[in-house]
Amino acid sequence: MADDRSQNSKASVPEQFDLLKQWLESYNPSEVFSKDSQLLKLVDQYIIPSDPSKRMGQRKETYDTHYSVDLPDWKGLAVQKGENASETKCAGAFIRDTFKKNPTTTRLWSPDELTSNKLDAVLEVQGRNFQWDPDSRAHGGRVIEILSEHTCQGHLQGYTLTGRTGIFPSYESFLGIIHTMMVQYSKFSKMSRELPWRKEISSINYIETSTWTRQEHNGFSHQNPSFIGAVLNLKAKFARVYLPPDANCMLSTISHCLGSKNYVNLVVGSKQETPVWLTPDEAAEHCKRGASVWPFVSIEGGSHPDVVLVGIGVELTFEVISAAGLLRQLCPALRVRVVNVTDLMVLGESGSHPHSLSDDAFAELFTEDKPVLFNYHGYATELRGLLFGRPRMERVTVQGYQEEGTTTTPLAMLVLNKVSRYDVAKYAIQTTRRANPKVDSVANIVMQEIDNRTKDFWKFINENGKDPDDAFETPALVEPEPNHQQKQ
């Protein structure tokens, strides 16, 4: 049968060619493309300028123009430690003030939901710019809001490549729509840095919010942190991923990103009001380091720990701190060190990234031999890949989003994905009981109590349709009595 089709096809080629030729000639192309064609003269005159300096590829704006951003002092917008604040609301105020100081060289592209994502402070000084609307276009509006992620990405790339600075906030689950465009842009950036005549440009900046941890109302379709992995896979020199744990760290991070050059910056944050753990100065130092021990939620400042609990991401860090508080109540003999990571790239194998910690610095944070749990906002496989090559990884466990989601409550989302306070606390007991006899003596009782609390939680939300009122209150972290401590 295949041979018959082949023979029939060969026999019909001359006839098909004649039909194609007749069809094309019916358009009279010789009239359009002759030497005397007026169309080609118009193309030469208006589409391809005779003056080489006016051709797009030879214009200075496309390869050697950069307008530095005059950044406001983010500490003037900082929130007092101990209060609650929305990261994106604070970021919106910072971007607003950035627009004030840079009214012609900064823009924001939003695929809808600017107000929902609590970045609408930018509209206090700059409106939306709808090109089709005579009342809004060409009036200085810095916000382009259009429900088309690939259009936003294309505009952002062109704006950045011609020397300006742009910001692209989005629901977390929908940034994946422009995954390939972002990768191709990064490849172009890599090659352009190898050409002496192409100069530096601003970084391309994404703010990823409305994350899976608080998409309990929209359901499973809106729960997808995979864009983190897309950025992690870029050439290390150009990739930056930040997960600031509170509003002050978010302000510090956004300020840094808008002032940086040549990177793909991804900032993952929460739009909900959450605790502010650090003062402005503490936040600045924490962001500079990329990761640090949080002594105020650790036992005796984190010295001589039995276990290291690591939070990466706003809600995941809250669960680690809640677990630390739960363990102080139920198992005060367990010595807990709490670490937060805000710059994901510090975790990579030493030398694998410009920000990666040395092995000594890594051991100083996470110890050399104690069990470590990374409670991570993204997919666990991403973080395991990043950590590969670090010494003694057999003691490390990574928990992250497990594709478990539905329309439910915020805390239920965390329980379903095994990154809740209950899961973190059980891990701490299970991995330390052999090394700490005092923990071992109460381990079974404590584990049963945690299981009972988990069952009580499910019973409550099934009966009431909401989380308990105190589910996200800042944990009371009372230091255990000295006679409970056992240094290792």
Side-chain angles (χ1 to χ4, degrees):
M1 241 178 129
D3 290 341
D4 290 343
R5 282 198 300 268
S6 177
Q7 290 172 4
N8 291 337
S9 176
K10 289 179 180 178
S12 62
V13 165
E15 180 183 353
Q16 291 177 7
F17 178 79
D18 288 341
L19 290 171
L20 176 62
K21 183 172 180 290
Q22 291 173 27
W23 173 59
L24 291 175
E25 286 179 342
S26 71
Y27 289 96
N28 300 318
S30 59
E31 296 178 6
V32 177
F33 298 107
S34 68
K35 289 190 297 183
D36 299 324
S37 168
Q38 291 300 311
L39 176 61
L40 292 182
K41 290 178 182 178
L42 290 173
V43 169
D44 287 340
Q45 185 176 356
Y46 294 108
I47 298 180
I48 304 176
S50 57
D51 181 354
S53 67
K54 294 183 179 180
R55 296 172 186 169
M56 182 179 291
Q58 293 175 269
R59 289 195 63 84
K60 186 179 176 68
E61 292 93 333
T62 66
Y63 66 88
D64 186 16
T65 299
H66 179 259
Y67 302 96
S68 297
V69 184
D70 183 8
L71 293 168
D73 180 7
W74 67 265
K75 289 185 178 180
L77 299 167
V79 183
Q80 185 173 345
K81 180 177 179 177
E83 294 184 0
N84 284 356
S86 161
E87 287 192 327
T88 54
K89 194 172 185 66
C90 292
F94 181 81
I95 296 168
R96 173 200 64 202
D97 292 353
T98 302
F99 284 171
K100 285 181 183 178
K101 296 170 76 69
N102 307 268
T104 61
T105 56
T106 52
R107 278 193 188 275
L108 180 149
W109 279 266
S110 176
D112 200 9
E113 304 292 1
L114 182 76
T115 300
S116 168
N117 286 330
K118 299 188 178 179
L119 292 161
D120 51 314
V122 298
L123 300 176
E124 295 173 12
V125 295
Q126 297 285 352
R128 293 178 175 89
N129 187 340
F130 297 119
Q131 290 300 306
W132 48 264
D133 179 8
D135 292 330
S136 71
R137 68 173 178 242
H139 289 292
R142 299 288 92 196
V143 176
I144 309 294
E145 191 164 15
I146 174 175
L147 188 49
S148 171
E149 284 81 1
H150 66 276
T151 301
C152 291
Q153 175 70 17
H155 285 189
L156 175 64
Q157 290 179 189
Y159 195 72
T160 304
L161 288 170
T162 50
R164 284 78 62 86
T165 301
I167 309 158
F168 186 161
S170 173
Y171 267 47
E172 176 179 69
S173 58
F174 302 125
L175 270 177
I177 293 170
I178 51 90
H179 176 164
T180 301
M181 294 178 72
M182 178 275 295
V183 171
Q184 293 301 321
Y185 176 83
S186 177
K187 291 178 183 293
F188 175 86
S189 296
K190 175 186 179 297
M191 298 307 298
S192 69
R193 298 305 308 133
E194 298 173 12
L195 300 172
W197 49 273
R198 279 200 173 273
K199 306 306 179 184
E200 292 187 314
I201 55 175
S202 290
S203 298
I204 200 164
N205 303 293
Y206 300 99
I207 299 176
E208 182 175 291
T209 187
S210 294
T211 64
W212 71 266
T213 55
R214 292 308 304 268
Q215 282 298 299
E216 73 288 341
H217 57 295
N218 276 325
F220 200 31
S221 64
H222 284 54
Q223 297 155 5
N224 176 5
S226 63
F227 197 70
I228 296 173
V231 179
L232 286 179
N233 287 330
L234 300 179
K235 188 73 173 178
K237 182 178 179 180
F238 300 98
R240 303 289 187 272
V241 180
Y242 302 100
L243 295 99
D246 70 6
N248 287 339
C249 290
M250 170 63 90
L251 286 166
S252 174
T253 301
I254 291 294
S255 177
H256 168 75
C257 289
L258 294 185
S260 68
K261 296 179 182 178
N262 306 313
Y263 305 143
V264 174
N265 291 319
L266 173 61
V267 183
V268 183
S270 177
K271 67 182 183 183
Q272 307 298 331
E273 289 199 350
T274 55
V276 177
W277 305 109
L278 305 177
T279 68
D281 288 341
E282 289 170 345
E285 182 62 24
H286 179 54
C287 290
K288 182 180 178 181
R289 292 176 178 271
S292 58
V293 176
W294 280 12
F296 57 95
V297 288
S298 303
I299 298 297
E300 291 189 353
S303 64
H304 308 289
D306 294 319
V307 65
V308 182
L309 304 178
V310 188
I312 309 178
V314 175
E315 288 81 8
L316 283 293
T317 297
F318 187 93
E319 293 306 297
V320 163
I321 294 172
S322 293
L326 189 60
L327 290 166
R328 291 191 190 200
Q329 297 172 25
L330 302 179
C331 190
L334 177 57
R335 299 180 62 83
V336 173
R337 172 185 291 180
V338 173
V339 173
N340 177 262
V341 176
T342 185
D343 178 356
L344 202 56
M345 299 314 201
V346 303
L347 298 178
E349 183 181 9
S350 180
S352 65
H353 189 277
H355 293 184
S356 62
L357 296 170
S358 68
D359 284 340
D360 288 343
F362 189 89
E364 185 178 348
L365 269 182
F366 304 111
T367 75
E368 293 184 348
D369 56 358
K370 302 302 180 185
V372 183
L373 171 65
F374 286 92
N375 212 37
Y376 172 53
H377 176 88
Y379 290 103
T381 51
E382 298 166 350
L383 192 55
R384 292 188 192 114
L386 197 62
L387 290 165
F388 184 81
R390 289 289 187 182
R392 297 292 308 277
M393 281 298 100
E394 71 278 358
R395 67 196 173 95
V396 170
T397 299
V398 180
Q399 292 287 7
Y401 179 62
Q402 297 183 10
E403 286 291 339
E404 292 293 338
T406 183
T407 304
T408 183
T409 73
L411 183 52
M413 277 297 301
L414 299 164
V415 176
L416 284 169
N417 286 280
K418 301 186 183 339
V419 290
S420 74
R421 60 203 68 179
Y422 309 121
D423 300 286
V424 174
K426 286 182 70 173
Y427 169 87
I429 297 293
Q430 290 168 332
T431 56
T432 59
R433 62 184 302 176
R434 289 185 180 180
N436 188 330
K438 290 187 177 181
V439 173
D440 189 51
S441 67
V442 297
N444 291 336
I445 297 172
V446 173
M447 297 270 282
Q448 186 59 56
E449 174 60 22
I450 294 172
D451 285 342
N452 291 340
R453 294 193 184 195
T454 307
K455 290 177 183 177
D456 290 342
F457 162 73
W458 283 116
K459 183 174 184 293
F460 181 90
I461 68 166
N462 287 330
E463 292 176 352
N464 297 275
K466 65 172 187 175
D467 284 329
D469 292 339
D470 61 351
F472 293 103
E473 289 183 1
T474 305
L477 296 166
V478 179
E479 192 79 29
E481 296 295 326
N483 63 349
H484 287 301
Q485 305 304 317
Q486 176 176 316
K487 294 187 178 182
Q488 301 297 306

